Amino acid sequence: MPARLRIAAVALMLAGLTWLGVTAARYSVAGSASSNAAREIERMSRSQGNSGSWWTDDLARATRDAPGDPTAHELLGLGLAAQSNDPQVLESARKELLAAIALRPGSGYTWANLAALKYRLGETDAVFEKALVNAMRLAPFELEVQRDVADYGLAMLDEVEPATRAAIEQAVAAGMRRNAPEMLQIAARRGRLGAACRHLDGEPRPTASKWTQLCQSMEATS
Amino acid sequence: MKKLSVFLALLALFFADLALAAGAVVTNTTGTVSVQTGPASPRSLRTGDQVAQGDTIVTGANSSVVLKFDDGQVVALTSNSRLQVTAYQYNPATEGGNVLLSLVNGGMRAITGLIGRRAPNQVAYRAATATIGIRGTDINVATSEGTVVASVNNGVIQMTFEGQTLIITAGEAVLVRPGQPAVKGTLAAVSAQANSALQQALAQLNVPALLAAVNNANPWPAEPGPGTGPAAG
């Protein structure tokens, strides 16, 4: 191999390694921002306090440095949605969640979060229904997904397409197996106790007698 | 992957917690009911949704909504009503907080919760330019074009309007109009002098379906008294 060609190949390798190093460093910083933000979110969720926007700033930087990181996009979307009711901020939150879905379409959690945000925005359209269906299809055994799909789905039960209704009913049934008292509570709050009560018979663990009595009295009056 | 799942579960939990940090939950709706949060566009309000301080609730024609606040306070709105939750803060540990609800238009029934039972001076309702303070109360209020009718089903209210303060007890009602003396008497007598919009709002508070929805949401049994239950409008 001619010397010039060898030098060019080595230079190319060095350039490639440098690029890889820089990219790895950027993703590492972005990952670190995501982790920090996650810890702050956890702290916020425990204290119900708002810690300011430093972590949304960090996440915004992380999404710029590592645009291919779905977690950073999702966290930023949730962070923005949590901090403001400003329509422009909520629009940004939606864009971040959609970006996360584009990067990681297989995450039931992300679809459930999109459904929650769209419900909050009053956008109970076809995309909202698709989000409910996809969330349940992709993460049928995840309690948090079951909870979201049941909650926002039961609110809309009379207005959705049959496929969406099936996903909502699947979420309620699965939620009744995982955590019956919580699912009964959600159904009662949505004025849809019957949707959960019908799965009470299959409940293998003892359920709070309050709910059993409520379901029985419902059955008696229906 | 396992770490990621835990992480995302945490997010879902966070979002759920945020949703549950509100001041009231909708226990019943009929017709068209919407809520506006800050500068956001109004969105439909459905049974089970949360309402918080700063939210404005609007009912359409032939519509109603019943809200149950965290302290047990129950509020019902009749059709074509507009209510702002101007202030609502509640600490379950101390059972204390403060409430200020502003009825811009329409009819409302309000049954005091724990905040009003522990510290009545921390609860106030506004209707047009009238301010209503309470003492262990179940009241009906209706307002339209600056005119206000308030009636007391249970307890006592103190109504301030154009510098005048009126005390209304259970079974009594009052009508106040800008620039005119207040009219006090039974709800039937007062209602007869109100305009048709107010009469309609007061009558709608007596619709059996709304009464049943309020009773379902009310955590306290009706207390006996001369004005127990809304008087006929």
Side-chain angles (χ1 to χ4, degrees):
Chain A
M1 186 185 284
R4 279 186 181 175
L5 201 60
R6 277 208 301 270
I7 290 168
V10 169
L12 199 64
M13 275 176 61
L14 282 173
L17 284 171
T18 306
W19 179 82
L20 274 174
V22 169
T23 304
R26 282 169 58 190
Y27 270 78
S28 168
V29 170
S32 169
S34 297
S35 300
N36 289 340
R39 275 197 291 275
E40 185 58 18
I41 286 174
E42 186 187 17
R43 198 186 69 73
M44 262 178 74
S45 72
R46 283 181 184 153
S47 67
Q48 294 291 338
N50 192 331
S51 62
S53 63
W54 68 262
W55 51 277
T56 47
D57 292 343
D58 277 6
L59 284 169
R61 200 175 313 119
T63 57
R64 283 195 299 273
D65 289 346
D69 179 1
T71 304
H73 285 287
E74 184 165 5
L75 275 171
L76 180 57
L78 292 175
L80 291 170
Q83 286 190 334
S84 176
N85 284 315
D86 185 289
Q88 283 183 327
V89 176
L90 293 177
E91 184 55 39
S92 299
R94 185 223 317 266
K95 279 182 186 161
E96 295 300 334
L97 286 183
L98 288 173
I101 283 174
L103 291 163
R104 188 170 53 204
S107 167
Y109 285 107
T110 316
W111 284 104
N113 282 327
L114 179 66
L117 179 64
K118 284 188 72 70
Y119 186 87
R120 184 173 158 199
L121 288 165
E123 294 174 3
T124 48
D125 52 11
V127 178
F128 167 77
E129 290 195 37
K130 182 182 171 185
L132 291 180
V133 171
N134 282 352
M136 209 51 211
R137 182 172 58 82
L138 294 163
F141 304 113
E142 301 299 335
L143 188 59
E144 293 79 9
V145 171
Q146 293 162 3
R147 180 194 296 147
D148 274 359
V149 173
D151 191 2
Y152 301 112
L154 286 174
M156 298 283 304
L157 198 62
D158 292 334
E159 302 164 56
V160 296
E161 297 292 323
T164 314
R165 195 183 173 98
I168 296 162
E169 285 169 355
Q170 182 195 352
V172 173
M176 283 295 289
R177 286 192 293 274
R178 287 287 297 275
N179 187 346
E182 185 188 39
M183 194 52 65
L184 285 158
Q185 206 167 11
I186 289 170
R189 180 162 53 80
R190 289 297 182 187
R192 302 277 185 185
L193 192 55
C197 282
R198 77 173 67 110
H199 301 287
L200 199 59
D201 289 344
E203 165 60 23
R205 285 158 291 182
T207 304
S209 60
K210 169 190 144 187
W211 293 110
T212 311
Q213 284 169 9
L214 265 174
C215 287
Q216 281 169 351
S217 67
M218 246 191 103
E219 208 169 287
T221 53
S222 63
Chain B
M1 196 64 196
K2 168 104 177 158
K3 193 178 170 189
L4 183 67
S5 295
V6 171
F7 182 58
L8 292 172
L10 186 73
L11 287 183
L13 187 69
F14 167 66
F15 225 42
D17 280 355
L18 279 176
L20 292 172
V25 65
V26 177
T27 61
N28 185 274
T29 60
T30 57
T32 311
V33 185
S34 63
V35 62
Q36 187 166 10
T37 302
S41 303
R43 64 182 196 278
S44 291
L45 196 60
R46 296 180 176 82
T47 301
D49 283 352
Q50 311 277 338
V51 170
Q53 174 175 291
D55 286 354
T56 300
I57 300 129
V58 179
T59 57
N62 302 317
S63 305
S64 66
V65 63
V66 179
L67 306 168
K68 184 176 179 181
F69 286 77
D70 290 348
D71 70 318
Q73 174 181 232
V74 176
V75 169
L77 294 178
T78 60
S79 60
N80 301 314
S81 294
R82 188 178 186 86
L83 175 82
Q84 186 184 37
V85 183
T86 309
Y88 185 83
Q89 285 168 342
Y90 176 59
N91 181 344
T94 60
E95 296 183 345
N98 66 294
V99 182
L100 175 57
L101 303 180
S102 304
L103 183 66
V104 181
N105 193 64
M108 169 179 88
R109 182 178 175 193
I111 302 173
T112 312
L114 280 173
I115 297 172
R117 284 162 193 254
R118 304 267 176 195
N121 60 339
Q122 294 299 309
V123 178
Y125 306 123
R126 249 189 228 144
T129 54
T131 303
I132 300 166
I134 59 106
R135 282 180 229 153
T137 314
D138 174 355
I139 64 168
N140 292 346
V141 185
T143 182
S144 170
E145 298 170 353
T147 302
V148 181
V149 172
S151 69
V152 180
N153 304 314
N154 210 312
V156 180
I157 62 169
Q158 179 180 302
M159 188 167 179
T160 306
F161 182 78
E162 293 185 341
Q164 192 183 2
T165 298
L166 303 154
I167 304 292
I168 322 294
T169 56
E172 288 186 320
V174 65
L175 167 72
V176 291
R177 283 174 283 213
Q180 293 185 36
V183 178
K184 204 168 152 184
T186 63
L187 180 57
V190 165
S191 182
Q193 297 188 49
N195 63 32
S196 61
L198 290 175
Q199 288 178 351
Q200 203 175 0
L202 291 167
Q204 283 172 2
L205 287 168
N206 276 327
V207 169
L210 188 59
L211 289 176
V214 169
N215 287 339
N216 280 341
N218 187 6
W220 293 285
E223 291 164 17
T228 300

